[in-house]
């Protein structure tokens, strides 16, 4: 029997809102390339729990690569060209990430996306990310490309007020979420990661968000 053509192309993009597109499995073929690129980044700029302006520590551990990195401390949230732990510039944005981000953005309808910052978030089972907006970037006209690796997550996609109701979006290893345009300032978060062991990534979830911050 001849296989249906549709099956040959894998899962299709899903439009979740007017300018929010989930690309299931888009990064799967690149996972080893991404992990190879991340290894030296994590050596130079290890994951750390940053302090919030309120004085607590974030549950998510994070680091950055690119000419700008997102930081949080007693003074607030902002982008910085240097890693506050080492005092050195953040590691460069690897070509593998630039390339994936550009292709994912294009697949979601955003042309010529050239990120200058990649925030790398590390979740253990039980770690959550509370509802927030991404509003520290200079130009909200630029999209964000988000790559999920490891344990699955339930992403909460909200509205424009913190109190708006949220939709639950399942994010799996290799999925890429792209959003921008009028969805750029939606509130969003991640429910506590369920215990588990991912066959490639172990007991963790890593999320890469690529942005044009400057
Ligand atoms: C995460 N992601 O998925 C957290 N922000 O672990 C984000 O906070 C995020 O996925 C802006 C755009 C896409 C995202
Ligand atoms: Fe965010």
């Amino acid at each position: 029997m001849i296989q249906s053509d549709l099956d040959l192309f894998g899962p299709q993009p899903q439009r979740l809102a007017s300018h929010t597109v989930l690309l299931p499995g888009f990064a799967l073929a690149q996972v080893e390339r991404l992990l190879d690129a991340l290894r030296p980044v994590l050596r130079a700029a290890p994951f750390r729990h940053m302090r919030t302006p309120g004085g607590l520590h974030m549950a998510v551990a994070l680091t950055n690569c690119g000419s700008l990195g997102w930081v949080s401390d007693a003074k607030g949230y902002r982008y910085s060209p240097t890693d506050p732990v080492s005092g050195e510039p953040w590691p460069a944005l690897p070509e593998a990430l630039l390339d994936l981000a550009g292709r994912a953005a294009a697949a979601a309808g955003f042309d010529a996306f050239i990120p200058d910052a990649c925030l790398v978030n590390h979740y253990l089972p039980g770690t959550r990310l509370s509802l927030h907006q991404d509003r520290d970037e200079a130009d909200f006209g630029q999209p964000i490309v988000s790559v999920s690796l490891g344990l699955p997550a339930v992403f909460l996609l909200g509205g424009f007020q913190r109190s708006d109701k949220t939709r639950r979006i399942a994010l799996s290893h290799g999925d890429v979420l792209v959003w921008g345009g009028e969805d750029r300032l939606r509130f969003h978060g991640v429910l506590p990661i369920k215990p588990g062991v991912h066959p490639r990534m172990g007991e963790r979830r890593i999320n890469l968000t690529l942005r044009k911050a400057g």
Side-chain angles (χ1 to χ4, degrees), residues 164-185:
D164 287 348
K165 100 174 160 16
T166 59
R167 289 164 63 192
R168 294 172 172 222
I169 313 293
L171 294 181
S172 299
H173 181 67
D175 288 353
V176 179
L177 182 62
V178 184
W179 77 26
E182 58 191 51
D183 295 322
R184 182 63 178 67
L185 290 176

Side-chain angles (χ1 to χ4, degrees), residues 7-80:
D7 292 340
L8 298 175
F9 296 99
Q12 299 299 298
Q14 296 169 28
R15 189 167 295 280
L16 302 175
S18 70
H19 295 83
T20 303
V21 179
L22 175 61
L23 303 169
F26 191 88
L28 272 182
Q30 308 292 317
V31 165
E32 293 309 317
R33 198 174 166 222
L34 295 179
L35 294 176
D36 286 346
L38 279 174
R39 226 164 272 126
V41 168
L42 298 177
R43 262 199 303 276
F47 287 118
R48 77 292 301 270
H49 293 274
M50 288 192 178
R51 209 177 278 276
T52 64
L56 301 174
H57 279 97
M58 292 181 67
V60 172
L62 64 85
T63 189
N64 293 278
C65 53
S67 56
L68 290 170
W70 185 87
V71 298
S72 172
D73 60 20
K75 290 184 286 183
Y77 310 124
R78 65 195 174 280
Y79 281 91
S80 166

